[in-house]
């Protein structure tokens, strides 16, 4: 399932990334790694507010749809 489909309060594990290599590197630089736990703590009209490695990160839905979680 895509990260963009998660609801507030859900916690899942990152499985894979879709998209261009530069986008994958950018996400990895922000802490999004395969096997990492991710939680949705809020949302706004343009995207999601997530906790990754104990840090809150805002991510637009376009990027969130490129991250697959389980």
């Amino acid at each position: 399932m895509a990260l963009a489909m998660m609801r507030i309060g859900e916690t899942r594990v990152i499985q894979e990334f879709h998209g261009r290599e530069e986008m994958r590197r950018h996400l990895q630089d922000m802490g999004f790694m395969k096997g990492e736990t991710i939680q949705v703590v809020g949302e706004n009209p343009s995207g999601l507010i997530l906790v990754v490695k104990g840090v809150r990160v805002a991510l637009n839905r376009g990027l969130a749809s490129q991250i697959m979680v389980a």
Side-chain angles (χ1 to χ4, degrees):
M1 119 186 232
L3 172 60
M5 298 175 67
M6 289 177 60
R7 298 185 185 274
I8 295 173
E10 278 189 271
T11 301
R12 301 216 179 223
V13 176
I14 297 172
Q15 297 297 311
E16 63 180 321
F17 301 98
H18 294 280
R20 297 186 317 234
E21 183 63 30
E22 61 192 42
M23 185 271 309
R24 293 178 196 181
R25 274 192 244 123
H26 176 68
L27 289 170
Q28 289 173 349
D29 289 344
M30 294 183 351
F32 294 85
M33 304 288 246
K34 288 182 183 180
E36 192 66 45
T37 301
I38 191 165
Q39 180 181 23
V40 178
V41 294
E43 62 183 319
N44 59 36
S46 63
L48 301 169
I49 301 168
L50 312 163
V51 173
V52 180
K53 294 186 174 182
V55 177
R56 284 182 178 227
V57 178
L59 194 66
N60 72 38
R61 290 192 187 274
L63 281 177
S65 67
Q66 302 294 315
I67 302 170
M68 298 296 120
V69 296

